[in-house]
Amino acid sequence: MEDKIRVLLTEEEVDEKIKQLGLKISEDYAGRSVHLICVLKGGAFFMCELAKRITVPVSMDFMSVSSYGNGTATSGAVKIIKDLDEPIEDKDVLIVEDIIDSGTTLHYLTEILYKRKPASIRICTLLDKPERRTADVKVDYVGFNIPDEFVVGYGLDYAQKYRNLPYIGVVEVDK
Ligand code: IMP
Ligand code: MG
């Protein structure tokens, strides 16, 4: 069965926004390098595109945490599925996320990463649903604030589908 998907942000809009974010990050980190941490799997598409737009030296690492099951509702639990390959001590870390919803994942993740004594930690997310926030997180770079709807594409999935869509869409659930 095919789900109906309504376009929320076009490929052009997303690409343009990532260009702007890359510029801003390059300015903010001028004279330093930035260590990007991708939250798998959703953040991968965004991080690769963003990295290409950053002009200061970039290094990258990947991490996977669980927060959601195969549905659209939160389970509340978060645990590390795959840890970073490299230490982050003294590095200027920029966590790259696809979307911030309740904020639980990022709240938990920054707490763990701060214990590893990085020089700094900032957060960059392509999408933010500020209405849904229940956990305390300070987000430094936001691509788009979006309404409380379940979105897919550009790395975001619905039951592991649609990550490869080049735009952001809303799954229209039949009622
Ligand atoms: P949080 O811990 O509630 O902030 O949830 C963050 C994670 O939930 C994101 O990294 C996504 O993997 C997933 N998520 C939240 N909202 C959506 C959505 O609308 N579409 C797809 N995944 C989502
Ligand atoms: Mg994610």
Side-chain angles (χ1 to χ4, degrees), residues 41 140 155:
K41 302 168 186 161
D140 302 280

Side-chain angles (χ1 to χ4, degrees), residues 17-26 50 53-54:
K17 185 64 77 174
I18 295 176
K19 218 181 277 180
Q20 292 167 9
L21 286 171
L23 265 175
K24 180 80 175 79
I25 290 165
S26 303
L50 182 65
R53 302 294 183 180
I54 297 176

